Amino acid sequence: MSDTSAFPQQGRDSDDLLAELKERQNKDLNWREGRVFSYVYDAGPEAMALLKDAFNMYLTENGLDPTTFPSAMELEKDVLRMAIELMNGGEEAEGTFTSGGTESLLLSVKTARDYARENKPEISLPELLLPETAHASFFKACHYFDVKPVVIPVDPVSFTADPVAMAEAVTANTIMMVASAPSYAHGVIDPIRELGEIALKHDLLFHVDCCVGGMYLPFANELGFDTGDFDLSVPGVTQISMDFHKLGYAAKGASAILYKHGQLMRRHQYFAWSGWSGYSVINPTVMSTKSAGPVAACWAIMNKLGKQGYLDLVQKTQSASEEIRSAIADIPQLKLLGDSKMNLLAFSSDKIDVFKLAERMKKRNWYIQPQFAFGASPANIHLTISHGNLAGFREFLSDLRACVAELDTDDAQTAMVDLPEEIAALFENPSPQLFSDLAAMFGGDGTEAPENMDEVNNLLNAMPHQIRDQLITEFVNRMFST
């Protein structure tokens, strides 16, 4: 640690501090020009200004105690009523406003575990049944709550859950099934109705992960697009998660977990404790103290846009997404994965290295998201198209065609599948030194990402995911070293 104190001895001028923040922000991806196909959802400057104003109004109000800040609770109830209506929850449905999709999924798994403890006490080793395309946060929930994930391969062409395989995997220990609407990686919707029938037959809870689709699919469905069945009206579906800070264009973090039979289910996610010398704690979510800013901003944007506003956004985004899908399908070196019906898609290639393609596009100031191979899904590129991408998507397609042509001409090769022998040998006896050895091969100590990530991504892509996870953990751990 440096001898220089990290804590300032004297305060600084506000303008100076804001200027420094702005300077640091210049290092980030330029999402404001619609060149980032992930992470950021922008409904335009007027909507963004409203979000900031509403968030700041409730920046200090604490969602921990609804008796002290009842307006925060009322805003949450308003948002949840809108969400339940969108998800066709009916009169018995209840929910909770959360900080994001991960927290919603954590709470759903915790609820399923505790519901099973009360209603199926014979289960001592609870299992969660999920397709291999299910979001990583379900595995995080299993890790946190001591639930065994049972992973089922998906259809290798459509990348949707296989109802027959899911049904065959049900055991006496299964407490809940999972499906996606859509799955993040490929943007495809699992056969929710067929899976719901399995859940009913075996008396299982059934969670539909609608985090990315919750503020999109209901409007797409109303516009006549083919979304299939996905919401709480489907027999067998007992709970559903949906994010407002994605395609609801709310401020981060804003999500919800909804239960079809709210009073019966929701109490299992709560934590209460008065067995100490302080104030009584009752937490509906993982967090205790939390700013009411996100729920205020969420309430504001949903009321600002209204149903017609979201219908307009979805119509424009669907039109652009269809044009992007069609254009990618016409590029002979690329192949669309699955049959996405909405604004998420993935494409791979057996002609060029998709990780190199991501780097070429980054040099043209476009961010597209590389995804590693897993199961039947090859290494690929993911795109989430939202309103913020609409103005420049044709320029994006032009640059994509150009980068694909460059790679096909310059150094045509596909993503690495097998590790080079000298690197594979390092995995024979994995040790904490492994990460340092690999980082040194790229001329660094692993505290900063290389300027070009394609070589690193190719190595990671060829590794067993368990080792890849260890290396990524060590990298992020070093990045945050102070």
Coordinates of all heavy atoms in Angstrom, one line a residue, residues 281-357:
V281 N -36.0 -6.3 12.6 CA -35.6 -6.3 11.1 C -36.7 -7.1 10.4 O -36.9 -8.3 10.8 CB -34.2 -6.8 10.9 CG1 -34.0 -7.0 9.4 CG2 -33.2 -5.9 11.5
I282 N -37.3 -6.6 9.4 CA -38.1 -7.4 8.5 C -37.7 -7.0 7.0 O -37.9 -5.8 6.6 CB -39.6 -7.1 8.7 CG1 -40.5 -7.8 7.7 CG2 -40.0 -5.7 8.9 CD1 -40.4 -9.3 7.6
N283 N -37.2 -7.9 6.3 CA -36.7 -7.7 5.0 C -37.5 -8.5 3.9 O -37.4 -9.7 3.9 CB -35.2 -8.0 4.8 CG -34.3 -7.2 5.7 OD1 -33.3 -7.6 6.2 ND2 -34.7 -5.9 6.0
P284 N -38.3 -7.9 3.1 CA -38.9 -8.6 2.0 C -37.9 -9.1 0.9 O -38.1 -10.1 0.3 CB -39.8 -7.6 1.3 CG -40.0 -6.5 2.4 CD -38.7 -6.5 3.1
T285 N -36.7 -8.4 0.8 CA -35.7 -8.7 -0.2 C -34.4 -9.1 0.4 O -34.3 -9.1 1.7 CB -35.6 -7.6 -1.2 OG1 -35.0 -6.5 -0.5 CG2 -36.9 -7.2 -1.8
V286 N -33.4 -9.3 -0.4 CA -32.0 -9.5 0.2 C -31.5 -8.3 0.8 O -30.9 -8.4 1.9 CB -31.1 -10.0 -1.0 CG1 -29.6 -10.1 -0.5 CG2 -31.5 -11.3 -1.6
M287 N -31.7 -7.1 0.2 CA -31.3 -5.9 0.8 C -32.1 -5.5 2.0 O -33.3 -5.8 2.1 CB -31.2 -4.8 -0.2 CG -30.2 -5.0 -1.3 SD -29.9 -3.5 -2.3 CE -31.5 -3.2 -3.0
S288 N -31.5 -4.7 2.9 CA -32.2 -4.1 4.0 C -32.4 -2.6 3.7 O -33.4 -2.2 3.1 CB -31.5 -4.4 5.3 OG -32.3 -4.0 6.4
T289 N -31.4 -1.8 4.1 CA -31.4 -0.4 3.7 C -31.3 -0.3 2.2 O -30.5 -1.0 1.5 CB -30.3 0.4 4.3 OG1 -30.6 0.5 5.7 CG2 -30.1 1.7 3.7
K290 N -32.2 0.5 1.5 CA -32.1 0.7 0.1 C -32.7 2.0 -0.3 O -33.7 2.4 0.3 CB -32.8 -0.5 -0.6 CG -34.3 -0.7 -0.2 CD -34.8 -1.9 -0.9 CE -36.3 -2.2 -0.5 NZ -36.9 -3.4 -1.1
S291 N -32.1 2.7 -1.2 CA -32.7 3.9 -1.7 C -34.0 3.7 -2.4 O -34.2 2.7 -3.1 CB -31.7 4.6 -2.7 OG -32.3 5.7 -3.4
A292 N -34.9 4.6 -2.1 CA -36.2 4.6 -2.9 C -36.1 5.2 -4.2 O -37.1 5.2 -5.0 CB -37.3 5.3 -2.1
G293 N -34.9 5.7 -4.6 CA -34.7 6.3 -5.9 C -35.1 5.4 -7.1 O -35.8 5.8 -8.0
P294 N -34.7 4.1 -7.1 CA -35.0 3.2 -8.3 C -36.5 3.0 -8.4 O -37.0 3.0 -9.6 CB -34.3 1.9 -7.9 CG -33.2 2.3 -7.1 CD -33.7 3.5 -6.3
V295 N -37.3 2.9 -7.4 CA -38.7 2.6 -7.5 C -39.4 3.9 -7.9 O -40.4 3.9 -8.7 CB -39.3 2.0 -6.2 CG1 -39.4 3.0 -5.1 CG2 -40.7 1.5 -6.5
A296 N -38.9 5.1 -7.4 CA -39.5 6.3 -7.9 C -39.3 6.6 -9.3 O -40.2 7.0 -10.1 CB -39.0 7.5 -7.0
A297 N -38.1 6.3 -9.8 CA -37.8 6.5 -11.2 C -38.5 5.5 -12.1 O -39.0 5.9 -13.2 CB -36.3 6.3 -11.4
C298 N -38.7 4.3 -11.6 CA -39.5 3.3 -12.3 C -40.9 3.7 -12.4 O -41.5 3.6 -13.5 CB -39.3 1.9 -11.6 SG -40.2 0.6 -12.4
W299 N -41.5 4.1 -11.3 CA -42.9 4.6 -11.3 C -43.1 5.7 -12.3 O -44.0 5.8 -13.1 CB -43.3 5.0 -9.9 CG -44.6 5.6 -9.8 CD1 -45.8 4.9 -9.5 CD2 -45.0 7.0 -9.9 NE1 -46.9 5.8 -9.4 CE2 -46.4 7.1 -9.7 CE3 -44.3 8.2 -10.2 CZ2 -47.1 8.3 -9.7 CZ3 -45.0 9.4 -10.2 CH2 -46.4 9.4 -10.0
A300 N -42.1 6.7 -12.3 CA -42.2 7.8 -13.2 C -42.1 7.5 -14.7 O -43.0 7.9 -15.5 CB -41.1 8.8 -12.9
I301 N -41.2 6.6 -15.1 CA -41.1 6.3 -16.5 C -42.3 5.5 -17.0 O -42.7 5.6 -18.1 CB -39.7 5.6 -16.8 CG1 -39.4 5.6 -18.3 CG2 -39.7 4.1 -16.3 CD1 -39.2 6.9 -18.9
M302 N -42.8 4.6 -16.2 CA -43.9 3.8 -16.6 C -45.2 4.6 -16.8 O -46.0 4.4 -17.7 CB -44.2 2.6 -15.6 CG -43.1 1.6 -15.6 SD -43.2 0.4 -14.2 CE -44.5 -0.7 -14.9
N303 N -45.3 5.6 -15.9 CA -46.4 6.5 -16.1 C -46.2 7.6 -17.2 O -47.1 8.0 -17.9 CB -46.7 7.3 -14.8 CG -47.5 6.4 -13.8 OD1 -48.7 6.3 -13.9 ND2 -46.8 5.9 -12.8
K304 N -44.9 7.9 -17.4 CA -44.6 8.8 -18.5 C -44.9 8.2 -19.9 O -45.5 8.8 -20.7 CB -43.1 9.2 -18.4 CG -42.5 9.9 -19.6 CD -43.0 11.3 -19.8 CE -42.3 12.0 -20.9 NZ -42.8 13.4 -21.2
L305 N -44.5 7.0 -20.1 CA -44.6 6.3 -21.4 C -46.0 5.8 -21.6 O -46.6 5.9 -22.6 CB -43.6 5.2 -21.5 CG -42.1 5.7 -21.6 CD1 -41.2 4.5 -21.6 CD2 -41.9 6.5 -22.9
G306 N -46.6 5.1 -20.5 CA -47.9 4.5 -20.6 C -47.9 3.4 -21.6 O -46.9 3.1 -22.3
K307 N -49.0 2.7 -21.8 CA -49.0 1.5 -22.7 C -48.7 2.0 -24.1 O -48.0 1.3 -24.8 CB -50.4 0.9 -22.6 CG -50.6 -0.3 -23.6 CD -51.9 -1.0 -23.5 CE -52.0 -1.8 -22.2 NZ -53.3 -2.6 -22.2
Q308 N -49.3 3.1 -24.5 CA -49.0 3.5 -25.9 C -47.6 3.8 -26.2 O -47.0 3.5 -27.3 CB -49.9 4.7 -26.3 CG -49.9 5.0 -27.8 CD -50.3 3.8 -28.6 OE1 -51.4 3.3 -28.4 NE2 -49.5 3.4 -29.6
G309 N -46.9 4.4 -25.2 CA -45.5 4.7 -25.4 C -44.7 3.4 -25.5 O -43.8 3.3 -26.4
Y310 N -45.0 2.4 -24.7 CA -44.2 1.1 -24.8 C -44.6 0.4 -26.1 O -43.7 -0.2 -26.7 CB -44.5 0.2 -23.6 CG -43.8 0.7 -22.4 CD1 -44.4 1.2 -21.3 CD2 -42.4 0.5 -22.3 CE1 -43.7 1.6 -20.1 CE2 -41.7 0.9 -21.2 CZ -42.4 1.5 -20.1 OH -41.7 1.9 -19.0
L311 N -45.8 0.5 -26.5 CA -46.2 -0.2 -27.8 C -45.4 0.5 -29.0 O -44.9 -0.2 -29.8 CB -47.7 0.0 -28.1 CG -48.6 -0.9 -27.2 CD1 -50.1 -0.4 -27.4 CD2 -48.5 -2.3 -27.6
D312 N -45.2 1.8 -28.9 CA -44.5 2.5 -30.0 C -43.0 2.0 -30.0 O -42.4 1.8 -31.0 CB -44.6 4.0 -29.8 CG -46.0 4.5 -30.1 OD1 -46.8 3.8 -30.7 OD2 -46.3 5.7 -29.7
L313 N -42.4 2.0 -28.7 CA -41.0 1.5 -28.6 C -40.8 0.1 -29.1 O -39.9 -0.2 -29.9 CB -40.6 1.6 -27.2 CG -40.4 3.0 -26.6 CD1 -40.2 3.0 -25.1 CD2 -39.2 3.7 -27.2
V314 N -41.7 -0.8 -28.8 CA -41.6 -2.2 -29.2 C -41.8 -2.3 -30.7 O -41.1 -3.0 -31.4 CB -42.6 -3.0 -28.4 CG1 -42.6 -4.5 -29.0 CG2 -42.2 -3.1 -26.9
Q315 N -42.7 -1.6 -31.3 CA -43.0 -1.6 -32.7 C -41.7 -1.2 -33.5 O -41.3 -1.9 -34.4 CB -44.1 -0.7 -33.1 CG -44.4 -0.7 -34.6 CD -45.0 -2.0 -35.1 OE1 -46.1 -2.4 -34.7 NE2 -44.2 -2.8 -35.9
K316 N -41.1 -0.1 -33.1 CA -39.9 0.3 -33.8 C -38.7 -0.6 -33.5 O -38.0 -0.9 -34.5 CB -39.5 1.7 -33.2 CG -40.6 2.8 -33.6 CD -40.2 4.1 -32.9 CE -41.3 5.2 -33.3 NZ -41.0 6.5 -32.5
T317 N -38.6 -1.1 -32.3 CA -37.5 -2.0 -32.0 C -37.7 -3.3 -32.7 O -36.7 -3.9 -33.2 CB -37.4 -2.2 -30.5 OG1 -37.3 -1.0 -29.8 CG2 -36.2 -3.0 -30.1
Q318 N -38.9 -3.9 -32.8 CA -39.1 -5.1 -33.5 C -38.8 -4.9 -35.0 O -38.2 -5.8 -35.6 CB -40.6 -5.5 -33.4 CG -40.9 -6.3 -32.1 CD -40.3 -7.7 -32.1 OE1 -39.3 -7.9 -31.5 NE2 -41.0 -8.6 -32.7
S319 N -39.2 -3.8 -35.6 CA -38.9 -3.6 -37.0 C -37.4 -3.6 -37.3 O -36.9 -4.2 -38.2 CB -39.5 -2.3 -37.5 OG -40.9 -2.3 -37.4
A320 N -36.7 -2.9 -36.4 CA -35.2 -2.8 -36.6 C -34.6 -4.2 -36.3 O -33.7 -4.6 -37.1 CB -34.6 -1.8 -35.6
S321 N -35.1 -4.9 -35.3 CA -34.5 -6.3 -35.0 C -34.7 -7.2 -36.2 O -33.8 -8.0 -36.5 CB -35.2 -6.8 -33.8 OG -35.0 -6.0 -32.7
E322 N -35.9 -7.1 -36.9 CA -36.1 -8.0 -38.0 C -35.2 -7.6 -39.2 O -34.7 -8.5 -39.9 CB -37.6 -7.9 -38.4 CG -38.6 -8.5 -37.4 CD -40.0 -8.3 -37.8 OE1 -40.3 -7.6 -38.8 OE2 -40.9 -8.8 -37.1
E323 N -34.9 -6.4 -39.4 CA -34.0 -6.0 -40.4 C -32.6 -6.4 -40.1 O -31.9 -6.9 -41.0 CB -34.0 -4.4 -40.6 CG -33.2 -3.9 -41.8 CD -33.4 -2.5 -42.1 OE1 -34.5 -1.9 -41.7 OE2 -32.5 -1.9 -42.7
I324 N -32.2 -6.3 -38.8 CA -30.9 -6.8 -38.4 C -30.7 -8.3 -38.6 O -29.7 -8.8 -39.1 CB -30.6 -6.4 -37.0 CG1 -30.4 -4.9 -36.9 CG2 -29.3 -7.1 -36.4 CD1 -30.3 -4.3 -35.4
R325 N -31.8 -9.1 -38.2 CA -31.7 -10.5 -38.3 C -31.6 -10.9 -39.8 O -30.8 -11.8 -40.2 CB -33.0 -11.2 -37.7 CG -32.9 -11.4 -36.3 CD -34.0 -12.4 -35.8 NE -35.3 -11.9 -36.1 CZ -36.0 -11.2 -35.2 NH1 -35.4 -10.9 -34.0 NH2 -37.2 -10.7 -35.5
S326 N -32.4 -10.2 -40.6 CA -32.4 -10.5 -42.1 C -31.0 -10.2 -42.7 O -30.5 -11.0 -43.5 CB -33.5 -9.7 -42.8 OG -33.5 -9.9 -44.2
A327 N -30.4 -9.1 -42.3 CA -29.1 -8.7 -42.8 C -28.0 -9.7 -42.4 O -27.2 -10.0 -43.2 CB -28.8 -7.3 -42.3
I328 N -28.1 -10.1 -41.1 CA -27.1 -11.1 -40.7 C -27.3 -12.4 -41.4 O -26.3 -13.1 -41.8 CB -27.2 -11.3 -39.1 CG1 -26.7 -10.0 -38.4 CG2 -26.4 -12.5 -38.7 CD1 -26.9 -10.0 -36.9
A329 N -28.5 -12.8 -41.6 CA -28.8 -14.1 -42.3 C -28.2 -14.0 -43.8 O -27.9 -15.1 -44.3 CB -30.2 -14.4 -42.4
D330 N -28.1 -12.8 -44.3 CA -27.6 -12.7 -45.7 C -26.1 -12.6 -45.8 O -25.5 -12.5 -46.9 CB -28.2 -11.4 -46.3 CG -29.7 -11.6 -46.7 OD1 -30.1 -12.7 -46.8 OD2 -30.4 -10.5 -46.8
I331 N -25.4 -12.6 -44.6 CA -23.9 -12.6 -44.6 C -23.5 -14.0 -44.6 O -23.7 -14.7 -43.6 CB -23.4 -11.8 -43.4 CG1 -23.8 -10.3 -43.4 CG2 -21.9 -11.9 -43.4 CD1 -23.5 -9.6 -42.2
P332 N -22.9 -14.5 -45.7 CA -22.6 -16.0 -45.8 C -21.7 -16.5 -44.7 O -21.8 -17.7 -44.4 CB -22.0 -16.1 -47.2 CG -21.6 -14.7 -47.6 CD -22.5 -13.8 -46.9
Q333 N -20.9 -15.7 -44.2 CA -19.9 -16.2 -43.1 C -20.6 -16.4 -41.8 O -20.0 -16.9 -40.9 CB -18.7 -15.3 -43.0 CG -17.9 -15.2 -44.3 CD -18.3 -14.1 -45.2 OE1 -19.5 -13.6 -45.1 NE2 -17.4 -13.6 -46.0
L334 N -21.8 -15.8 -41.6 CA -22.4 -15.8 -40.3 C -23.7 -16.7 -40.3 O -24.3 -16.9 -41.3 CB -22.8 -14.4 -39.9 CG -21.7 -13.3 -39.8 CD1 -22.3 -12.0 -39.4 CD2 -20.6 -13.8 -38.9
K335 N -24.0 -17.2 -39.1 CA -25.2 -18.1 -38.9 C -25.9 -17.7 -37.7 O -25.4 -17.7 -36.6 CB -24.7 -19.5 -38.8 CG -25.9 -20.5 -38.5 CD -25.3 -21.9 -38.3 CE -26.5 -22.9 -38.0 NZ -26.0 -24.2 -37.6
L336 N -27.2 -17.4 -37.8 CA -28.1 -17.1 -36.7 C -28.3 -18.4 -35.9 O -28.5 -19.4 -36.5 CB -29.4 -16.5 -37.2 CG -29.4 -15.1 -37.7 CD1 -30.7 -14.7 -38.4 CD2 -29.1 -14.1 -36.6
L337 N -28.3 -18.2 -34.6 CA -28.6 -19.4 -33.7 C -30.0 -19.3 -33.2 O -30.5 -18.3 -32.6 CB -27.6 -19.4 -32.5 CG -26.1 -19.5 -32.9 CD1 -25.3 -19.4 -31.6 CD2 -25.8 -20.8 -33.6
G338 N -30.7 -20.4 -33.3 CA -32.1 -20.5 -32.9 C -33.0 -19.6 -33.7 O -32.6 -19.1 -34.8
D339 N -34.3 -19.5 -33.3 CA -35.3 -18.7 -34.1 C -35.9 -17.7 -33.1 O -37.0 -17.8 -32.6 CB -36.3 -19.7 -34.6 CG -37.4 -19.0 -35.4 OD1 -37.0 -17.9 -35.9 OD2 -38.5 -19.5 -35.6
S340 N -35.1 -16.6 -32.9 CA -35.5 -15.5 -32.1 C -36.7 -14.8 -32.7 O -36.8 -14.5 -33.8 CB -34.4 -14.5 -31.8 OG -34.9 -13.4 -31.1
K341 N -37.7 -14.5 -31.8 CA -38.9 -13.8 -32.2 C -38.9 -12.4 -31.7 O -39.9 -11.6 -32.0 CB -40.2 -14.5 -31.7 CG -40.3 -15.9 -32.1 CD -40.6 -16.1 -33.6 CE -40.9 -17.6 -33.9 NZ -41.0 -17.7 -35.4
M342 N -37.8 -12.0 -31.1 CA -37.9 -10.6 -30.5 C -36.5 -9.9 -30.7 O -35.9 -10.1 -31.8 CB -38.2 -10.7 -29.0 CG -37.4 -11.6 -28.1 SD -37.9 -11.6 -26.4 CE -37.6 -9.9 -25.9
N343 N -36.1 -9.1 -29.8 CA -35.0 -8.1 -30.1 C -33.7 -8.6 -29.5 O -32.7 -7.8 -29.4 CB -35.3 -6.8 -29.5 CG -35.6 -6.8 -28.0 OD1 -36.1 -7.7 -27.5 ND2 -35.1 -5.8 -27.3
L344 N -33.6 -9.9 -29.1 CA -32.3 -10.5 -28.7 C -32.0 -11.5 -29.7 O -32.9 -12.3 -30.2 CB -32.4 -11.1 -27.3 CG -32.3 -10.2 -26.1 CD1 -33.6 -9.4 -25.9 CD2 -32.0 -11.0 -24.9
L345 N -30.7 -11.6 -30.1 CA -30.3 -12.7 -31.1 C -28.9 -13.0 -30.8 O -28.1 -12.3 -30.2 CB -30.6 -12.2 -32.5 CG -29.9 -10.9 -33.0 CD1 -28.5 -11.2 -33.6 CD2 -30.7 -10.2 -34.0
A346 N -28.4 -14.1 -31.4 CA -27.0 -14.5 -31.4 C -26.7 -15.1 -32.7 O -27.5 -15.7 -33.4 CB -26.8 -15.6 -30.3
F347 N -25.4 -14.9 -33.1 CA -24.9 -15.5 -34.3 C -23.5 -16.0 -34.2 O -22.7 -15.5 -33.4 CB -25.0 -14.5 -35.5 CG -24.2 -13.3 -35.3 CD1 -22.8 -13.2 -35.7 CD2 -24.8 -12.1 -34.8 CE1 -22.1 -12.0 -35.6 CE2 -24.0 -10.9 -34.6 CZ -22.7 -10.9 -35.0
S348 N -23.2 -17.1 -34.9 CA -21.9 -17.7 -34.8 C -21.3 -17.8 -36.2 O -21.9 -17.2 -37.1 CB -22.0 -19.2 -34.3 OG -22.8 -20.0 -35.1
S349 N -20.2 -18.5 -36.3 CA -19.6 -18.6 -37.7 C -18.7 -19.8 -37.7 O -18.0 -20.1 -36.7 CB -18.7 -17.4 -38.0 OG -18.1 -17.5 -39.2
D350 N -18.7 -20.6 -38.8 CA -17.7 -21.6 -39.0 C -16.7 -21.2 -40.1 O -16.0 -22.0 -40.7 CB -18.4 -22.9 -39.4 CG -19.3 -22.8 -40.6 OD1 -19.3 -21.7 -41.3 OD2 -20.0 -23.8 -41.0
K351 N -16.7 -19.9 -40.4 CA -15.7 -19.4 -41.4 C -14.7 -18.4 -40.7 O -13.6 -18.3 -41.2 CB -16.5 -18.6 -42.5 CG -17.5 -19.5 -43.2 CD -16.8 -20.5 -44.1 CE -17.8 -21.1 -45.1 NZ -18.9 -21.9 -44.5
I352 N -15.1 -17.6 -39.7 CA -14.3 -16.6 -39.1 C -14.3 -16.7 -37.6 O -15.2 -17.4 -37.1 CB -14.6 -15.2 -39.6 CG1 -16.0 -14.8 -39.1 CG2 -14.5 -15.0 -41.1 CD1 -16.4 -13.4 -39.2
D353 N -13.4 -16.1 -36.9 CA -13.3 -16.1 -35.5 C -14.2 -15.0 -35.0 O -13.9 -13.8 -35.2 CB -11.8 -15.9 -35.1 CG -11.6 -15.9 -33.6 OD1 -12.6 -15.8 -32.8 OD2 -10.4 -16.0 -33.2
V354 N -15.3 -15.4 -34.3 CA -16.2 -14.4 -33.8 C -15.6 -13.5 -32.7 O -16.0 -12.3 -32.5 CB -17.5 -15.0 -33.2 CG1 -18.3 -15.6 -34.4 CG2 -17.2 -16.0 -32.2
F355 N -14.6 -14.0 -32.0 CA -13.9 -13.1 -31.0 C -13.1 -12.0 -31.7 O -13.0 -10.9 -31.2 CB -13.1 -14.0 -30.1 CG -13.9 -15.0 -29.3 CD1 -13.5 -16.4 -29.3 CD2 -15.0 -14.7 -28.5 CE1 -14.2 -17.3 -28.6 CE2 -15.7 -15.6 -27.8 CZ -15.3 -16.9 -27.9
K356 N -12.5 -12.4 -32.8 CA -11.8 -11.4 -33.6 C -12.8 -10.4 -34.2 O -12.5 -9.2 -34.2 CB -10.9 -12.0 -34.7 CG -9.7 -12.8 -34.2 CD -8.9 -13.3 -35.4 CE -7.7 -14.1 -34.9 NZ -6.7 -13.2 -34.2
L357 N -13.9 -10.9 -34.5 CA -14.9 -10.0 -35.1 C -15.4 -8.9 -34.0 O -15.5 -7.7 -34.3 CB -16.1 -10.8 -35.5 CG -17.4 -10.0 -36.0 CD1 -17.0 -9.1 -37.3 CD2 -18.5 -10.9 -36.4

